[in-house]
């Protein structure tokens, strides 16, 4: 089989790689204003965006569980749980029974009241 047709193949491939396409033409210039008319005013620069409001400060540690420890061992009635929240200075309270699911997020303004199986307050903590 003659190899002559294949001898030119590498030269053709190299020539194809070497050629570059022509760059695109520059965009046309804007038309000149008609005689006797002033050119249009320049476009004003973009105005900066108005400043955004500062983010709110983080929640302060509003909960102190120490004053609420006096409720440990008492029944976990809604009145006792609310009194413990007020004693701790917490904004919110979460009262949980044994086996009840609990999120692990920390909130410095929340009082956690954990109950035992008998419905008495077993543990009080913030978070």
């Amino acid at each position: 089989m003659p190899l002559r047709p294949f001898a030119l193949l590498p030269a053709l491939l190299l020539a194809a790689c070497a050629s570059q396409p022509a760059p695109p033409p520059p965009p046309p210039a804007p038309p000149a204003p008609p005689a006797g008319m002033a050119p249009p005013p320049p476009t004003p620069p973009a105005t900066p965006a108005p400043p955004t409001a500062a983010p709110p400060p983080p929640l302060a540690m509003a909960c102190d569980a120490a004053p609420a420890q006096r409720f440990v061992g008492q029944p976990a009635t809604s009145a006792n749980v609310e009194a413990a929240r007020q004693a701790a200075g917490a904004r919110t309270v979460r009262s949980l029974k044994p086996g009840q699911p609990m999120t692990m997020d920390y909130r410095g303004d929340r009082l956690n009241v954990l109950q035992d199986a008998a419905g008495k307050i077993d543990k009080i903590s913030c978070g």
Side-chain angles (χ1 to χ4, degrees):
M1 175 173 195
L3 297 177
R4 243 181 212 195
F6 295 112
L8 295 177
L9 184 61
L12 289 174
L13 289 175
L14 288 175
C17 292
S19 64
Q20 297 287 331
M37 290 189 69
T43 305
T47 57
T52 58
L59 290 176
M61 288 291 294
C63 179
D64 180 14
Q69 295 301 319
R70 67 177 188 245
F71 293 97
V72 173
Q74 295 187 19
T77 63
S78 59
N80 283 343
V81 170
E82 178 60 19
R85 182 195 68 78
Q86 290 177 357
R91 292 172 69 183
T92 60
V93 64
R94 165 170 72 173
S95 182
L96 298 165
K97 297 177 182 177
Q100 197 171 5
M102 172 173 50
T103 61
M104 298 305 294
D105 62 322
Y106 180 82
R107 292 188 51 184
D109 65 338
R110 177 174 59 197
L111 182 71
N112 295 311
V113 177
L114 304 178
Q115 302 175 27
D116 62 11
K120 294 189 178 191
I121 297 175
D122 184 44
K123 181 180 176 184
I124 293 178
S125 63
C126 294

